[in-house]
Amino acid sequence: MKDLFDTAGLETTYGSAIFAGHVPRETATAVRLLEEAGYANVGKANLHEFAYGTTSENPHYGDVPNPRHPGRSAGGSSGGSAAALTAGLADAALGTDSAGSIRIPAACCGVVGHKPTHGLVSLDGCWPLAASFDTAGPLALDVDGCERMLAALAPGFRPTRLESLEELEVGIAWTEDADQLVRARVEQAAAQFPRLRSVEVPPVENATYAGFMREVADVHRELFAENAESYGQDVRIKVEKCLAVRDSEVDRAERLREEYREQVEQALEGLDLLLTPTLPIVAPPLHRGAIGDLDVREALIRFTYPFSVLGWPALALPCGAAEGGLPASLQIVGRAGADALVLAAGRVLSLD
């Protein structure tokens, strides 16, 4: 369990020194649902402080290593969840994703991660980052593992079955913006979809991020005022910027978010799914930047953040070795509510 979820009787820190020794009285709904379905909690997974980062470099509890690729980032913010899988410490892991925090670690560690449709999985008892972006979801060693977890996490979710990828009209975008071998592996995987065509999907405007930042500010305003010195440097810098966001910037961000939804719907008209790289690069080195993830954040959320803006489901699926022998990852995206279709396509896709 990512240490962002409350676990009754078990320390829950949210990755922050402020909550060292904090033991909740109640268990988060997502954790309870998994336990009721037969999953056993084998431990709490480290993360980027307050889930606000992409590298899981944590000054309070240590940096999350990448077990398969020493010296490289495990991704974030659910880095410990992905690392636990690759290290053989767990068969399944629970994470959260607000701008890529399930998909980025899945891509960096070469495992599977699914960001569900916004609102599909309960966040009761999970420390928030940005409420209208936050999701909880599964990481596993294969798509079946994610699908089984989602069935437990989202009562009423029903898997679907595809006989063939020929059933799907699929678009592909943004591969030209990825590193050479990442692009090659993603396009090679995408070629298995017989009815595939390139589409022009606009990038999300950076100005939409003001809405995200205001939601972060609302979470941390009082806590930060009393405990600023207890925040790690990179998260402190980001929270300070969030607290400085103006109302006019938030209003513009909300308008742009709705406009972006219309633009993407128009670009994907007639398509069932969209394929993109999960990341434009392979897992970056740890300590690449002077201050945590600030050096690589923009690159790592480039292809994941847009679908958090939209609230759409997205699956990160390893698709072969890229630069330096590190894993590339394919992102399979569907419209809101199409989680079953996204997972079914991932299950049928052969990436051996």
Side-chain angles (χ1 to χ4, degrees), residues 217-238:
D218 289 343
V219 171
H220 288 274
R221 198 176 310 277
E222 294 183 8
L223 186 68
F224 189 79
E226 298 176 0
N227 301 278
E229 71 287 348
S230 297
Y231 282 67
Q233 188 177 14
D234 80 304
V235 175
R236 183 168 64 250
I237 289 171
K238 286 178 287 194

Side-chain angles (χ1 to χ4, degrees), residues 9-96:
L10 186 64
E11 184 178 12
T12 302
T13 70
Y14 317 125
S16 165
I18 300 167
F19 289 95
H22 167 62
V23 179
R25 294 182 178 181
E26 298 183 1
T27 292
T29 298
V31 176
R32 177 179 56 78
L33 289 170
L34 288 172
E35 291 176 342
E36 289 175 354
Y39 288 86
N41 182 10
V42 298
K44 303 299 289 284
N46 197 9
L47 66 151
H48 209 107
E49 182 181 1
F50 285 124
Y52 198 8
T54 60
T55 62
S56 297
E57 293 170 270
N58 190 307
H60 314 299
Y61 303 107
D63 301 339
V64 177
N66 188 321
R68 289 183 180 167
H69 306 287
R72 296 283 178 157
S73 172
S77 64
S78 307
S81 300
L85 293 171
T86 60
L89 301 175
D91 301 312
L94 180 63
T96 64

Side-chain angles (χ1 to χ4, degrees), residues 13 68 90 111 174 229 259 282 309:
T13 70
R68 289 183 180 167
V111 298
W174 301 341
E229 71 287 348
E259 291 173 7
V282 295
V309 170

Side-chain angles (χ1 to χ4, degrees), residues 34 37 39 91 142-153 157 159:
L34 288 172
Y39 288 86
D91 301 312
D142 53 31
V143 176
D144 284 344
C146 283
E147 195 172 61
R148 286 192 298 272
M149 282 189 74
L150 190 59
L153 288 165
F157 169 79

Side-chain angles (χ1 to χ4, degrees), residues 264-285:
V264 177
E265 286 280 11
Q266 184 175 1
L268 301 186
E269 185 175 358
L271 297 176
D272 299 303
L273 298 172
L274 174 68
L275 309 179
T276 78
T278 305
L279 305 180
I281 60 175
V282 295

